Amino acid sequence: MTDPASAFDALAGRLAAIEQQFAGLQDDLAAFRATGTDDSGLVTVTVDMAGELTDVTFEPVALRAGSQGLSEMVLEAYRRARTAATEQIEERTEGIGVKLGSSLGDLFGAPGDFSALGRLDETMGRLERLERRLPGQSA
């Protein structure tokens, strides 16, 4: 068994390396957008990482569908946008545990809050999985 001081030093070093390699992740996720379009192609919706609606675009002819028809088109496009967002987030962050609606605090925890780390062994295992996913790392 490794002594706790050495284990924590190793953990701190690995966390610093991963933090540096993921430095651009926050910007990428903050700029993240996904779109969805209804079956008719008349309504397009855009959502952000949290699944929040950021844009809705209507083709002029969509207004002829009436309020109920337009509502259905918007909901369909919104559901597709959220599905696309979920798939893209899972693809970009596979193994990290990010879900649609996650904040960066949910992902990384608050600065200085180590209670989310749980047991050291679990944390080290998660770091190893993350390191394998980094560009240039062997799988």
Side-chain angles (χ1 to χ4, degrees), residues 29-41:
L29 294 177
F32 177 85
R33 299 289 183 267
T35 60
T37 303
D38 75 307
D39 280 335
S40 70

Side-chain angles (χ1 to χ4, degrees), residues 70-91:
L70 187 58
S71 174
E72 290 170 4
M73 288 187 275
V74 169
L75 287 173
E76 180 183 352
Y78 177 69
R79 288 182 188 113
R80 288 183 176 181
R82 285 184 57 98
T83 297
T86 297
E87 290 169 357
Q88 290 176 37
I89 289 169
E90 287 174 358
E91 181 180 299

Side-chain angles (χ1 to χ4, degrees), residues 17-79:
I18 288 173
E19 180 180 11
Q20 185 177 21
Q21 290 173 311
F22 278 103
L25 180 61
Q26 183 172 3
D27 292 336
D28 291 344
L29 294 177
F32 177 85
R33 299 289 183 267
T35 60
T37 303
D38 75 307
D39 280 335
S40 70
L42 300 177
V43 176
T44 301
V45 168
T46 304
V47 297
D48 63 13
M49 179 188 165
E52 297 290 325
L53 185 67
T54 61
D55 190 36
V56 179
T57 304
F58 302 101
E59 293 296 326
V61 71
L63 301 177
R64 294 183 189 160
S67 61
Q68 183 64 34
L70 187 58
S71 174
E72 290 170 4
M73 288 187 275
V74 169
L75 287 173
E76 180 183 352
Y78 177 69
R79 288 182 188 113

Side-chain angles (χ1 to χ4, degrees), residues 100-137:
L100 184 64
S102 294
S103 70
L104 293 174
D106 294 334
L107 176 59
F108 298 111
D113 176 15
F114 297 104
S115 64
L117 291 177
R119 293 181 358 185
L120 182 58
D121 292 340
E122 291 174 17
T123 303
M124 295 299 280
R126 186 172 185 194
L127 289 173
E128 288 171 7
R129 289 189 299 277
L130 287 173
E131 285 179 325
R132 285 193 299 268
R133 296 212 18 88
L134 295 172
Q137 300 293 319

